[in-house]
Structure formats: structure tokens, C-alpha cells
Amino acid sequence: MSAPLAPRSPLIPLDEARQRLLAQVQCLPGTESVATFDADGRVLAQDLVSALQVPAFDNSSMDGYAVRTADLTPGAVLRVTQRIPAGHNGQRVQAGEVARIFTGAPLPPGADAVVMQEEAELQGEVAGVPQVRFAQPVHVGQWIRRSGEDVQRGATVLPAGTRLGPAELGLAASLGQAQLTVAVRPRVALFSTGDELVMPGDVAPQDMPPGAIYNSNRFFLKALLERMGCEVSDLGIVPDQREATLSALRSAAEHHDLILTSGGVSVGEEDHVKPAVQALGTLDLWQISMKPGKPFAYGHVRRSSAEGQAHFVGLPGNPVSSYITFLLMVRPMLLQMQGVPAADWAPLSLPAHFDLPKGDKRREFLRVRRNAQGGLDLFPNQSSGVLTSVVWGDGVVDNPSGQSVARGDLVKFLPFADWLA
């Protein structure tokens, strides 16, 4: 008589699972200095404090004329006595005078406004000096960029934990920063398990043996990791053999902060990842109340030649499950390793242009796409093996467990672009 099946563990709410995971993760020690030119995607390790005012001086925001508003009486004709290009300083503007000025040039002493050139009426020359009048009203301070109006000296312009993008790099450069102190990159070892997996290029589609599938997860996981600023070691496909799995885990733990696998964490006889991780460290198997996803493994693998241990994460094998679970669970983990503060999702409230008569018992992440009417269309096949749903869609609807959706209902939309930026 066979032994009775062990009772299933209760499903863990997604938010609780994220909290439990992030409670295990600390910011990686150490920083490095990188050229600002090469810092895109990196995370600041210390506050960036401005040593100067931006702009450093009052300057013109237009091509035009620097004027004294007190001189601009109705019908007044003024003398253009100097020309001030960007990068040059002008002389004091005296009564009855104006200065021809160009965008970015320092405002000359005495001037208190700039008139754009389109509003100037040239009146010819007198003794070789150009004359000009202004028909439109002029107010003090117009078209002047004041010193420090963008950045004040001593201000923290980018706090530690900021993930650097093009705008942030431009701002750092405007403060004279040629180098930036950033968090070290997480070192991630990536491998897949399964004798059924075949690499594209190794076997032609028409020659694929029965039961074989191409290893798609390896490709999108590597790309996702690199977008998260990681140094990725691709360890390939590990055979479904205990010793091969143990060897791969031992080697990966020595020089990596995280070991990420896809598939091989169930209870089947050929799933060797679970016992191998348990032999080399610790492992928790979580059943998360989410769809797609649910199976998730987290633990540690001890290092044999150095102190400490590497994090281990085992993702589901189905491609959509693996993709969505990475975004929801692994992405915040990697950001926290780099010192980025945890942030709640900020969903958009958009109308559903579909019906979902019966919600799943798990919290569901439905692949959808925005349409020209401002609503969301649902991909017709929400199976966890249908990767085309992620390519077709531009985000997911975060649908609570048991929640049906009727056309026109407002739902919570999470764009992929926010996660993949």
C-alpha cells in the first residue's frame, strides 16, 4: 500500500512572499568609480551634492536684446552699443543703451530684462551705431535664467540609490562630475536544467527529437538580468544528473551573489536542483498565490573556499511563469542588492475592453495591450506556456483573486516599460 500524500502547503500571498524574499537581501558591500559616460543603468552609491550653482550666472534664454526696462518709454529709440555671444562677458548697459545678446550669454550689468529679437524693430544707424525700438510691453526679469534657478550650491541633486539614466547623467555632467561612485553590479550565475532542452542552432527545427524544446528562458532571463545592471555568467544547460547539478552549484556559488535557475525545482525524480541546493545550503519551496507563477524556490548555497553564501532562486519552467515571476520577485531583489529603495507599484487605472466572467482563485496577471480607444485588450490565450502573449502585450492587469471583469470596468494596469526601463 502506498504512503499517503503529504498535505499541500497553503499558498503564500504574493505581497508576503516579496516581503519574505526582500528581508533576506542586503545591499552588496563595496562601490566603484566609473566614468559618467559609462554609468548608464548604474546605481549611485552616495549622494551627489552640487558644488556650484546651475546656471552659474544670470543669462539670456533667448537671442535678442538685453535692456534696462526704465529706458523703455513709449516710442523710445535706443542705441545697440555691444554684442554679447555665449561665453563672453559684456560691459555695463548705460542709460539709453541696449546690448545685442545671444542664448546662454551672461546678462550684462545694468540690464534687467531681455527682449527676443522677433519683437525688436531696427531703426537703421546713427553715426554707425544701430538703433532699435520695442513696441511690445517688457517686464523686469523676462527671458532671463537666474543663477541657481536649476540647482543651488550645496543641494543634493541625486540621492544615493538613484538608478542613472540619460537625464541623470546629463545632470551629473552639468555639475562637473566626470566620475560617479556607484554600487557594484550583482554577479549572477544563470543556468537551466532539463534533458529536454535544446539550444537554438544546435538542432534544426525539422530535426528536433520528440519531446525536445528550445531553451527560450535562458535568452530572456539573460537579457532581463543585464537590463537590471547585473554581470551575468551563462552556465548553459546542466544535465538532469545529481553530480552535474552539485558541481554547477558549487562552482557558481564561489564567485556569484545570486544563482538563478529555471525549472527543476519540483518533486520529480529527475528534478535534481532541490536536493542539490539542500545538500549545499538551504532551500525553501514556496507556492505563491499568483498566476502565472506559483512554484518558486529560494535559498542559499554555501561557498567552500570563501566566507559567505550565494542567494539561490529557482523560477518556474514555463516561459511566461518564469518571465512574470522574474519581474515581480527577482527584479526588486536585484535592485535592493544595488541599494535602490523598495517602491510600491504604481498601476494605471484603465478600462477593460474585455470580459472575464470568472476570476481565478489566485491573484492573476493578465497579459493585455492598450488600444487606440484608451482601453485594454486581452490576449486570448493566457496559458503560462504561451510566450507570444508577452510579446503581443505591453503590460499586465493585476487582477485580485476571484475577481471577475466586465467590459468597461476600471482595472489596474502595470506597463512592462516601467519594469524594463
Side-chain angles (χ1 to χ4, degrees):
M1 184 175 179
S2 59
L5 294 174
R8 290 188 177 183
S9 301
L11 298 181
I12 304 172
L14 173 61
D15 292 339
E16 178 185 335
R18 281 165 51 92
Q19 291 172 2
R20 287 168 59 173
L21 177 65
L22 295 179
Q24 301 289 325
V25 179
Q26 304 295 323
C27 181
L28 296 173
T31 62
E32 60 180 324
S33 179
V34 300
T36 303
F37 262 126
D38 302 322
D40 185 37
R42 303 300 295 271
V43 176
L44 268 185
Q46 61 185 34
D47 292 347
L48 180 57
V49 178
S50 178
L52 72 161
Q53 302 270 94
V54 179
F57 45 84
D58 293 353
N59 67 88
S60 176
S61 63
M62 287 286 176
D63 291 345
Y65 296 85
V67 303
R68 293 162 29 109
T69 54
D71 292 340
L72 302 184
T73 56
V77 176
L78 306 171
R79 294 173 292 133
V80 184
T81 57
Q82 56 181 312
R83 183 176 184 275
I84 312 173
H88 296 265
N89 292 312
Q91 303 298 315
R92 175 172 289 276
V93 177
Q94 305 293 341
E97 298 179 351
V98 301
R100 181 76 166 106
I101 196 167
F102 296 89
T103 303
L107 190 71
D112 59 5
V114 171
V115 181
M116 66 173 65
Q117 61 188 18
E118 292 84 353
E119 296 179 356
E121 299 176 359
L122 294 175
Q123 304 294 304
E125 296 184 356
V126 175
V129 177
Q131 310 289 301
V132 67
R133 65 184 292 271
F134 308 103
Q136 300 298 321
V138 178
H139 62 267
V140 173
Q142 75 176 32
W143 304 123
I144 295 174
R145 293 185 290 217
R146 295 297 184 187
S147 173
E149 73 175 34
D150 186 6
V151 177
Q152 292 284 325
R153 183 182 292 107
T156 298
V157 292
L158 295 173
T162 298
R163 196 152 182 236
L164 299 167
E168 289 80 6
L169 297 181
L171 180 56
S174 75
L175 303 177
Q177 299 293 316
Q179 300 283 130
L180 294 170
T181 301
V182 297
V184 295
R185 294 181 185 271
R187 301 165 301 170
V188 182
L190 173 67
F191 67 84
S192 305
T193 62
D195 288 342
E196 76 279 11
L197 296 176
V198 175
M199 281 298 292
D202 289 350
V203 180
Q206 65 272 18
D207 298 327
M208 288 281 280
I213 58 173
Y214 287 119
N215 185 1
S216 61
N217 294 19
R218 180 176 169 189
F219 286 81
F220 66 68
L221 288 175
K222 181 174 182 291
L224 288 169
L225 288 167
E226 289 177 340
R227 288 201 176 201
M228 297 309 304
C230 300
E231 292 182 1
V232 184
S233 299
D234 179 11
L235 304 185
I237 301 172
V238 176
D240 279 332
Q241 301 168 8
R242 176 178 170 81
E243 288 305 316
T245 305
L246 284 168
S247 176
L249 289 169
R250 285 194 196 98
S251 175
E254 295 304 305
H255 304 292
H256 296 90
D257 305 299
L258 169 65
I259 303 169
L260 183 67
T261 69
S262 174
V265 291
S266 69
V267 296
E269 293 181 0
E270 296 303 319
D271 288 331
H272 297 292
V273 174
K274 175 186 174 183
V277 174
Q278 290 171 326
L280 300 174
T282 61
L283 183 69
D284 286 330
L285 291 176
W286 299 346
Q287 298 289 301
I288 303 176
S289 183
M290 61 177 285
K291 181 182 181 182
K294 195 169 81 167
F296 185 86
Y298 174 74
H300 296 92
V301 178
R302 292 185 298 272
R303 299 187 178 110
S304 58
S305 61
E307 292 185 1
Q309 53 192 3
H311 296 279
F312 171 84
V313 168
L315 295 175
N318 282 324
V320 181
S321 298
S322 187
Y323 192 94
I324 299 297
T325 306
F326 181 98
L327 295 178
L328 298 178
M329 296 287 286
V330 181
R331 178 182 179 275
M333 179 184 183
L334 293 169
L335 289 174
Q336 191 159 299
M337 285 183 176
Q338 298 173 79
V340 179
D344 293 332
W345 300 323
L348 303 175
S349 183
L350 295 179
H353 287 183
F354 61 88
D355 294 304
L356 188 72
K358 183 179 179 181
D360 195 86
K361 63 182 179 181
R362 291 176 278 163
R363 182 176 175 180
E364 195 166 8
F365 292 88
L366 305 164
R367 274 77 71 207
V368 294
R369 182 167 69 183
R370 281 176 283 197
N371 57 37
Q373 293 73 44
L376 298 170
D377 295 327
L378 181 72
F379 192 75
N381 189 339
Q382 293 287 317
S383 169
S384 61
V386 180
L387 196 55
T388 49
S389 68
V390 178
V391 176
W392 176 90
D394 55 12
V396 293
V397 166
D398 181 0
N399 198 48
S401 61
Q403 179 70 54
S404 61
V405 178
R407 182 178 295 269
D409 286 351
L410 292 178
V411 293
K412 296 178 180 178
F413 174 66
L414 297 167
F416 286 142
D418 289 354
W419 281 325
L420 301 177

